[in-house]
Amino acid sequence: MCLIIDNISFSYSHDRQILNNISFSIERGKTLGIIGVSGTGKSTLLKIIAGFLDKKENQNLIGRVIFDNNPIRTLKTCGKFSFMFQESTLMPNLNVWENVFLPFKILSIPSNENINKIIGLVGLDKFKKSFPSKLSGGMKTRVALARSFITNPELLLLDEPFSSLDIGWKKRLYDELETLQKLNNTTIIIVSHDIEEVLKIADKIILIGLEGTIIYEQRILNSIVVDQEVQFIKDILINDYNLNIQTN
Amino acid sequence: MKNIIFYFLLIISLLLIWHFATFDNTHLKLLISNPFDSFKYFLNECDNILIATAYTGLESVLGFLIAVITSFVLVIICLYNYKLFELILPLMIVSQVIPIITLAPLFIILLDIGLKSKVAMAALMCFFPIFVNMASGVNSVEKNYLNLFSIYNSSKTKKIFHLLFPLATPYIFSGLKISSTLAVIGAIVAEFNGAELGLGKNLFLSAKRLEAELMINSIFFSCILGASFYLMIYSFERRIGKWYIKDQKHN
């Protein structure tokens, strides 16, 4: 196993338990999809894996995260870890090119032609010198994706990466994700509330319930299974959580 | 363009009111002079007035720079040791209870009547707004940006200089703009208490000798000094802060 999440439990002090004994694993070069309704702790889990919520006051965090038998910190040191935030989190004082270059700047790596190439891939050639305030939501998402791909990470975490993209761009970026994965044997974890989207690209899915536990876990083997899975998961969400979800 | 015409007409109107108010009123003319006499005085005493302005300007600029450098260094030290912020900020706020201008005679005793005491006064007047705005700016950076830098295991130094200070730019310039005029005020107030040269000294003497023309000219050039200083900071901000200034305009 490549990435192992071992008994993660998390809560803020004097608040409800957000995550309860979460354990799962994913092999190297595979994609894991984490799905669930709002408030189930999906983004929190991703932040714990990324090390953003390590041991702070007013927080209770237990459990561990291991990648290739090492802590995530090891990957960060050599620039082989990447994360895409739900809110894109582009630096407002940097233009598109500078935002994509940012990881190299922090890691003290000189720029290379890959930056222009990846900006072209996300269709923002003409906006290289534009600041984030001049970009639409979808464009900002594409810049954030470009920034997360640029270092050819071994572990890539994506928090709602495609929510503000149109269908055309989603398809293109699914393909880019696949190319990246094949090229670098990248392990990807994607968090989304869009069940169909996750099932299209994931090799394995976990569904987190409102109690912060894994209520369903499944490997995705082929596209036929995907349709069955979509219906099954929607049934869980409708029946167990009284959610109004449209079924096809 | 409309704004420029409006301000121009406003200035002309005020000058006309001033002129006609003092035209037939000798008593009032003695106290506040009139536009033509004040201008004639400037032409006769041009050198003295401009030298006094330059001297006060030098005190203001030096005081301002000392305040900026001290604030900058202190904020960096606090960012490396965050608990210092929690210690220093309350002290800063409490220190504002002391009317700073009352310290001017103390500075003269400690640093003599020359440039140093005026520079110290100007620096003290500027320091609080610059420091507080700088501290607010760096502390207001959203957590996600700190997390962004931690993805690549960024050092604290890189976080401070490539993240915190750049994103705090709007706050920093707010503090600088406020302090630009405070620096001039601090220098002038310090000169009231004793100076070899300067606009503050001229204002003090003009009040003692009832030299209204000198007073008007000193007030006018104090305004010019403060406005010039502010405009310099403003122009610099427009070059550095393109990424947020246009947004402010639209909002």
Side-chain angles (χ1 to χ4, degrees), chain A residues 112-126:
Chain A
N112 57 49
E113 69 277 5
N114 279 344
I115 296 172
N116 287 323
K117 190 176 158 194
I118 208 156
I119 292 174
L121 274 172
V122 296
L124 291 171
D125 289 272
K126 291 179 186 168

Side-chain angles (χ1 to χ4, degrees), chain A residues 47 52-53 56 76-77 81-83 85 87 89-93 102-103 105-108 131 133-134 147 151, chain B residues 142-155 158 162-164 166-167 169 242-244 246-247 250:
Chain A
K47 285 176 183 173
F52 297 157
L53 299 176
K56 284 176 186 159
K76 287 182 181 181
T77 311
F81 170 77
S82 202
F83 187 105
F85 296 84
E87 306 87 8
T89 310
L90 299 184
M91 294 284 286
N93 60 316
L102 185 66
K105 189 174 172 183
I106 299 169
L107 294 163
S108 302
F131 287 97
S133 57
K134 297 286 175 265
R147 185 177 65 193
T151 54
Chain B
E142 283 173 30
K143 207 176 171 189
N144 268 353
Y145 290 110
L146 292 161
N147 287 337
L148 173 65
F149 271 63
S150 76
I151 289 169
Y152 309 103
N153 220 25
S154 167
S155 63
K158 277 195 174 152
H162 293 293
L163 171 66
L164 298 178
L167 292 193
T169 306
K242 281 180 192 164
W243 57 273
Y244 66 88
K246 283 178 185 167
D247 279 352
H250 288 139

